[in-house]
Every structure is written in structure tokens, then in C-alpha cells.
Amino acid sequence: MGDWEGVRLHVVTGKGGTGKTTVASALALALAGGGRKVLLAEVEERQGLAQLFDVAPLTYAERRIAPASGGGEVYGLAIDAREAMYEYLAMFYRLGRAGRALDRVGFVDFATTIAPGLRDVLLTGKTYEAARRKDARGELVYDAVVLDAPPTGRITRFLDVNTSVSSLARVGPIHRQANSITTLVHSPLTAVHVVALLEEMPVQETVDAVAELRAAKIPLGAVIVNQVREAHLAGRERTAARSGKLDRDMIAEGLKAAALPFSNVLVDQLCTEAAGHARRLESERRARQELAALDRPMYTLPRVPGGIDPTAVYEFAETLTEQGAS
Amino acid sequence: MTAHHPPRRRARLDVDRLLDDPRTHVIVCCGSGGVGKTTTAAAMALRAAERGRKAVVLTIDPARRLAQSMGLAELDNTPRPVRGVDSSQGGGLDAMMLDMKRTFDEVVEAHTTPDRARQILANPFYQALSSSFAGTQEYMAMEKLGQLRQRGQWDLIVVDTPPSRSALDFLDAPERLGSFLDGRLIRLLGGPARAGGKAYRKVFQAGFNVVTGTLTKVLGGDLLRDVQTFVNALDTMFGGFRERADQTYALLKRPETAFVVVAVPEQDALREASYFVDRLSEDAMPLAGLVLNRVHHASGGISEEQAIAGAERLEEAGEHHLTASLLRLHAERLESAARDQRSGDRFVAAHPEVPVTHAAALADDVHDLAGLRQIGDLMATPT
């Protein structure tokens, strides 16, 4: 039993560079643990998921991309606005010839790239459809859908499609579609998780996004703190390091005991690194306080100095599960 | 190329030469989100100003404390002098933050009668277009750049680019919006009056009805009417949008412009940087080089393995806790440095012709002029 029992749509957002694709993937694997089936979707046409899992580029057709623990499965999908538009026209209007005529005059371009909000309705609409899809026996096809969503700066507008679209399309099927999406997005079936780093800009954007989502009455999920450094210094040593007052003789003796070649250059380097590390830990402590004040479940993922590969994503999934994400 | 080609020395981006060159009038900083574009743009503009240029920096979305330190608290869409800049070399620095809706409004107001402008500004479709279309910000950043250049008040304009879905949006969006506003669909939507002569209309009338009929079904009649009103009100401005987009694109191509691609030594950021470099070269845009931010360096004469082995020895013996911790930290640094080095090398191998400069990772976030100066020093100093 995790923190998100009953949530069907997990939206993962974060400032650019915070690792939201990695976190969304790890969350999908965590939720798929124990034999469940989870859809992981991206909407930004970057093929971030394929890169991360080291598989062939994803398409508009859902396909299994990774096994999870206990026989679980993660499916991948790259939602493309143009494909969604064709599917939409075919589904609601059985448009053959007229659909092509629309394409010729540039309507599909208009709807998928220019018309304010329509693109977002198409993208979220596909997610909505997948989250509610049932098989022949009337059972839900996916236990959960995880969306690698646009960054924090655009997330509220992206999810709150109704506000942007209903002022434009006041009647008609797009209006109706926007309404059903709005209902799902504002219901307890949805949770928006925000990925942050313990740095000034990502924290500020997280705080801003949380405020915006709260104002739009969109249910918040967890704050997931990514790339957290291991603390190598504590207490008095940390204080001394910050003010450049580490005992150099003691360090030199330690190097001797460690059978390492002693040099003043090395001791200088160690002291400089320690000072930087101590200052960074202090600013991380303040950043963490600001995030804690948001009063959301907080999960922590470590920094991987060597870079992220598929193995690291599985490790992250386990770490998230241990902290209650699934 | 022979199999045993000696390793090529990477070309270095000489930041000071770029900033000091009186022929450089526009610097565009681009790259994916979270790589320090805004900070890089601000640091370059400040350095140029303190080296004697009359510079202005156009930022899109600066961190709050950085904005405050540059006096950008006021959102009035016009450049304001930055206080605390050393002007002893005869230069100066102005800064502004882009207000995209206001810039769009200004374009409309400048190109039509006050009456028409009021109509357009009140139109729901225009309001949505000007405040939420994903490409509007890119388009307006370029529009503002054109305006600043025209004012001729500065001899160097440094532009930060919007946090796009992909760095490439920035080049495509103005063209996309321009061609839409000037295109076939909008002529159709504008009603038969805009769709050419009588004969033309006769041939296309059938197709036209299918299209508008379907549009009405899909979008609802209200939206279609709003678009039509908008298009008709825009009447006098047709061609204007396209022309302006074309002008800005031409400005970007001129040798007085320099593109600086910003990245961090991580896979995603460097992949975006590669796309951008390729695209700039395809479009024959003047690329100055790559600024690689937050690069970890570590030296001290011992290897990562030695540091780890030393730390383990001390930990097992249960002595010299401080030195053991410092060695662990140092090993981590060496690992990061090695990874950054590998990422940087991969980029250089793929783009040997692109000049590169590094800015070392700092322990603190940058939020004042002193921090920007430090970044400027790092960028300008060979590593």
C-alpha cells in the first residue's frame, strides 16, 4: 500500500534540468511493481524515455518497454499532437476526405501548433483516454498512467485546459472533451508530482508551481527531491570547513596514515572542496526547509555522479517504493 | 583522415574577443532549460559593459533574486539601467525582462489605427493567442530584439531565449506564427472576401464549404466567429507579421550576430546543444561557440582509486575521520570531473569545429553582480 492508492493519473513535472523524465520513469516502475501494468507517456516529442531505457524510439502505438518487479510491466507511448488530431477526427467524425482537406489548408498545423490550448487538449485528451480505457471484459487496461509532463512553468496551463479552451470553444466537441479532461484532472484520481533540486531556481519554481496548482484546485502529489548529495561533513567539522579553519596538520597526518603521498597542493585542494561542500550543504538545508513548508509527502533521490543509466532508474524505483511511493 | 590522427586540440571560445569586437552587436544565448542560459546572458552583458560596451540584456525569466539585484523588479517591458556596474571603461548596462503580451499589443498598436487596435486587443482569440500560444514568447523575444536593435541606443544586445520545449522552437516559432497569420487557412477563415477573385472562389467554394463546415463542427461556431473577426480586424496588418518575422530572421543571420549555445556536461543538455549547433549550421547562422557551464574540475595529484583506497584504510582503522571524509568527497569530485570531461570530449569529437569554453561549477547559486562577474571571469579564462 503506497501513498497513492486510488490515483490513476500521475503527472510528473519539474523545472528543466531537474530530471523529471528519470523520475517519471522510476515512478512508473515503482507503481508497476507487484505485477501491475502502467503506461508511461511523454508529450514533448523529445524521445527522452527511449533514450533513458535504451530502446527504439517510441511511437503513437503503445508498446512494452520495461519489466517491473513481480511480473509488472511498463508500457511506453510518445503522444504526438498531429496523430492525436487524426485519431480524434476519425473517432468523432469518421473524417476521411474532409480530414485530408483540413490538412491541406493547414488546419492540422493550426490545431496542433498554433491554436492556443487546442494542442494541450489533444495531448491531455489522449492521456485521459488511456487512463480510462477498458478491455473487452470491462476491466481497466492500465492500473495507472504516468505522464512525463511539460515543465513547471507551463504545467498549470497545460492541465487546466478548460480555462484556456472554454473561453474560446464555448460549445462543440472540443469544449466537451476539455470538460471531461478537466473533471479527471481535478478529481482525486489525479496527482501532480513536482521534481525539484536543492537549488535556488528549482525550489522557487516548485514553490510557484505548487501555489498555482493549488489555486487551480488541481490535486498535488509528492515533492520529489532529486540529485541529493551525500553529506560528507557534519557538526563542528562542517562549521570549521565553511570558515576555512580545518586543521591542516591533522589532515596531513591522516594522509600519511592512509599511505597517500602528502603535498600542500592536495591539502589545499581538500580544504577548498570541503569549504565549497559545507556552503552547498548549508544552502541545501535552507532549500529543503522551503520545500518542507509546502507540506507535501517528500521523497529523496540521490545524485549519481557517474550519470543515469537504466540500472539507476530501477534503483530509483526501489528507493521510491521504500519511501512510500507505491 | 588517417586512423592515427593525433588528438585535435579543441578550439577555444574566446569570450573577451567576442565581447570586445565592435562588430558584434547581438549575442543570442540558447540551449535547453536549466543549463544557466539567463545567468550566462547576464554575465556576458555585464562583462561587456565593464569592458566598455554600451550593453543591454533582454532576459525572459530570471531567478527572482537575480532579477532584483539587476533592478528588474519593475515589469514595464522597457530597458532600465542596472546599478552597481563599473563604468570606468566608458560602458554601461541596461536590463529588461520580456512581457510577451505587452510586446504583442505594441506590435498591433504600431501597425493599425487606434480603433482597429482596440477591436483586436479585445478579441478573445487574440487574447488567447497573445498570452498562451507556445510560440508567442519566442516570436515576441525576437520582435523585442528587432525593436531594441532599431532604437540604436546600445552597441551590444545580449538576448536570453525562452525555455522552449526544444531549443529549436526558438528559430521555428516566429516563422510558424508568421506563416499562419499570413497563410491560406486564415484567408479561408477570413471569409470568401479574402480568398481571391471570383473565378478562384468558384473553384474552391465547394472545398471551402467542406472545410468551414467541418471547422464549425469541431471547434464550435463561436471560436470560428472570433477567429474571423480577428482576421478581418487584422486586415491592414497582413503581410506585416510575415515581413517582421522575415526581418528578424535576416538580422539573426547577419555577421553582427553571434549565437552562443549554452549547455551543462550532461547527456540531455549536450544532445540539445548538438541539435542546435547542427541546425544553426544548416541555416548558415553565425555560431560563436559553446559555453559549458557547471563543469567540475579536481586536481591534487592523486587518482580517484587512490582517494577511495585511502579513505577505506582510514575507515577500517577507525581513525582520522576528517581526512577520510575529505578523501570521500575528493573521490566524488574526481568522478564528476571525469564524467564531465568525457561528456565534453564527446561533444568536441562530434563537433570539432565548434569553439568551446568552460565555466567551473560554483558552490553557491548566483544572485548578484559579484556572482555574475565571477561567472564572466570563469568563462573568459582558459582552462
Side-chain angles (χ1 to χ4, degrees):
Chain A
M1 282 276 171
D3 294 344
W4 313 108
E5 231 27 69
V7 172
R8 300 198 40 72
L9 176 59
H10 295 264
V11 179
V12 179
T13 182
K15 178 175 157 49
T18 56
K20 77 188 163 58
T21 301
T22 309
V23 172
S25 303
L27 180 63
L29 281 172
L31 293 168
R36 280 166 294 189
K37 188 169 162 183
V38 173
L39 178 69
L40 175 58
E42 67 179 356
V43 291
E44 304 232 285
E45 290 168 44
R46 317 169 70 121
Q47 289 295 339
L49 299 176
Q51 302 269 0
L52 190 62
F53 284 101
D54 202 13
V55 296
L58 297 180
T59 63
Y60 197 66
E62 290 147 41
R63 137 178 141 233
R64 186 171 172 276
I65 54 170
S69 68
E73 299 179 294
V74 173
Y75 278 67
L77 163 71
I79 303 180
D80 171 271
R82 179 172 284 268
E83 293 287 342
M85 184 77 216
Y86 287 136
E87 186 180 60
Y88 183 79
L89 290 175
M91 201 151 52
F92 288 93
Y93 305 104
R94 307 186 187 293
L95 278 186
R97 226 183 51 151
R100 283 197 298 277
L102 287 180
D103 206 358
R104 265 205 305 282
V105 296
F107 174 71
V108 176
D109 270 342
F110 167 75
T112 55
T113 61
I114 290 157
L118 290 191
R119 181 191 165 81
D120 293 348
V121 174
L122 290 166
L123 297 175
T124 45
K126 180 66 186 173
T127 319
Y128 169 80
E129 183 270 320
R132 296 171 30 111
R133 195 186 307 152
K134 292 187 174 161
D135 61 17
R137 288 168 304 162
E139 308 240 338
L140 286 162
V141 172
Y142 293 111
D143 293 298
V145 174
V146 177
L147 182 64
D148 180 9
T152 32
R154 291 198 287 122
I155 190 64
T156 306
R157 212 159 57 204
F158 177 77
L159 291 174
D160 214 6
V161 280
N162 201 39
T163 325
S164 54
V165 168
S166 67
S167 64
L168 288 172
R170 288 177 287 266
V171 291
I174 288 208
H175 178 78
R176 280 198 300 279
Q177 167 116 359
N179 272 343
S180 2
I181 298 166
T182 304
T183 309
L184 170 68
V185 163
H186 289 84
S187 79
L189 292 173
T190 298
V192 182
H193 310 288
V194 188
V195 184
L197 305 181
L198 295 176
E199 288 168 21
E200 189 181 351
M201 274 292 271
V203 167
Q204 180 190 314
E205 287 210 8
T206 303
V207 171
D208 290 350
V210 164
E212 274 178 38
L213 289 163
R214 280 193 168 132
K217 298 195 162 50
I218 296 174
L220 283 162
V223 170
I224 303 171
V225 188
N226 196 16
Q227 298 174 19
V228 175
R229 284 179 179 73
E230 194 185 331
H232 292 287
L233 292 168
R236 277 219 306 274
E237 286 174 350
R238 190 189 288 186
T239 318
R242 258 182 82 188
S243 45
K245 287 184 184 142
L246 287 175
D247 186 339
R248 295 176 59 98
D249 293 339
M250 212 160 85
I251 296 170
E253 265 175 52
L255 289 174
K256 211 155 73 188
L260 286 170
F262 163 82
S263 74
N264 276 319
V265 177
L266 180 55
V267 176
D268 283 345
Q269 176 73 18
L270 293 181
C271 289
T272 311
E273 284 173 6
H277 183 63
R279 285 209 304 279
R280 180 50 80 183
L281 289 176
E282 176 55 24
S283 67
E284 289 191 350
R285 192 184 58 78
R286 281 193 306 265
R288 198 185 277 277
Q289 277 174 348
E290 270 186 77
L291 293 177
L294 295 173
D295 200 20
R296 297 305 310 161
M298 210 195 295
Y299 308 142
T300 301
L301 293 170
R303 198 169 92 94
V304 183
I308 300 290
D309 59 11
T311 318
V313 183
Y314 277 93
E315 279 166 13
F316 280 9
E318 239 172 79
T319 312
L320 288 176
T321 304
E322 281 161 16
Q323 296 177 63
S326 73
Chain B
M1 254 218 274
T2 61
H4 299 286
H5 204 75
R8 205 188 294 249
R9 230 186 101 70
R10 73 180 157 88
R12 200 180 83 78
L13 172 62
D14 189 336
V15 170
D16 283 342
R17 214 170 91 188
L18 175 69
L19 298 180
D20 293 346
D21 189 340
R23 289 166 302 183
T24 310
H25 291 301
V26 176
I27 294 178
V28 183
C29 294
C30 42
S32 55
V35 297
K37 260 187 318 229
T38 307
T39 310
T40 304
M44 282 196 165
L46 176 62
R47 190 171 180 87
E50 298 194 328
R51 293 173 71 87
R53 304 288 306 261
K54 289 201 173 1
V56 59
V57 58
L58 168 58
T59 68
I60 308 293
D61 195 12
R64 209 163 290 158
R65 284 167 72 187
L66 179 63
Q68 280 165 1
S69 74
M70 299 185 75
L72 286 175
E74 263 180 282
L75 252 172
D76 58 356
N77 209 26
T78 184
R80 298 282 170 206
V82 178
R83 269 187 298 214
V85 176
D86 171 11
S87 58
S88 59
Q89 301 301 310
L93 178 62
D94 290 349
M96 69 165 286
M97 186 151 61
L98 179 76
D99 179 338
M100 87 174 162
K101 177 150 186 6
R102 194 119 153 207
T103 307
F104 210 149
D105 292 354
E106 286 165 10
V107 174
V108 170
E109 282 159 356
H111 283 82
T112 189
T113 61
D115 231 29
R116 274 276 165 88
R118 256 196 306 282
Q119 260 182 47
I120 295 174
L121 300 191
N123 183 285
F125 181 76
Y126 169 77
Q127 286 171 356
L129 186 72
S130 60
S131 56
S132 68
F133 163 47
T136 304
Q137 208 175 30
E138 282 83 353
Y139 186 33
M140 290 308 133
M142 290 301 94
E143 169 64 31
K144 202 71 200 178
L145 166 63
Q147 286 177 14
L148 294 179
R149 188 77 189 97
Q150 221 164 26
R151 272 168 72 174
Q153 204 174 323
W154 301 275
D155 67 359
L156 180 67
I157 305 168
V158 184
V159 203
D160 174 21
T161 53
S164 298
R165 170 167 57 93
S166 130
L168 305 180
D169 271 8
F170 159 75
L171 281 179
D172 294 330
E175 164 70 14
R176 207 189 285 148
L177 184 63
S179 63
F180 160 67
L181 291 174
D182 197 27
R184 245 176 109 184
L185 177 68
I186 212 151
R187 278 160 206 277
L188 275 176
L189 292 177
R194 299 203 51 85
K198 224 177 189 173
Y200 176 88
R201 216 159 61 222
K202 220 170 181 176
V203 176
F204 283 91
Q205 193 65 55
F208 178 77
N209 286 341
V210 173
V211 171
T212 46
T214 315
L215 287 178
T216 313
K217 245 186 356 189
V218 178
L219 299 174
D222 288 341
L223 173 54
L224 206 58
R225 254 194 313 284
D226 285 342
V227 176
Q228 280 168 347
T229 325
F230 171 66
V231 169
N232 287 325
L234 270 182
D235 201 31
T236 51
M237 296 173 63
F238 273 108
F241 276 101
R242 187 53 173 275
E243 207 177 297
R244 292 177 84 79
D246 287 349
Q247 270 173 12
T248 317
Y249 196 74
L251 166 66
L252 293 179
K253 267 188 131 132
R254 287 212 294 263
E256 65 172 72
T257 301
F259 280 87
V260 170
V261 179
V262 185
V264 291
E266 277 161 28
Q267 232 179 32
D268 289 348
L270 281 171
R271 197 167 47 234
E272 290 278 311
S274 285
Y275 285 139
F276 211 95
V277 163
D278 292 343
R279 173 65 195 278
L280 289 171
S281 102
E282 256 169 52
D283 286 22
M285 294 282 182
L287 170 67
L290 174 85
V291 173
L292 204 51
N293 276 329
R294 291 184 220 138
V295 180
H296 295 88
H297 294 287
S299 58
I302 59 171
S303 70
E304 188 188 336
E305 291 73 22
Q306 278 178 301
I308 292 172
E312 277 170 356
R313 186 166 299 148
L314 296 177
E315 284 157 6
E316 271 163 34
E319 52 177 23
H320 291 290
H321 176 262
L322 172 63
T323 310
S325 308
L326 296 186
L327 285 171
R328 287 277 173 204
L329 179 62
H330 189 56
E332 218 177 78
R333 279 305 156 89
L334 289 168
E335 190 182 2
S336 298
R339 184 194 64 163
D340 291 357
Q341 175 82 38
R342 277 196 305 275
S343 308
D345 286 352
R346 262 202 301 275
F347 181 88
V348 171
H351 307 276
E353 73 293 349
V354 178
V356 179
T357 188
H358 291 181
L362 295 178
D364 309 284
D365 295 322
V366 171
H367 37 62
D368 54 17
L369 293 188
L372 290 178
R373 272 185 204 111
Q374 196 184 354
I375 297 274
D377 282 340
L378 289 169
M379 279 190 303
T381 315
T383 44

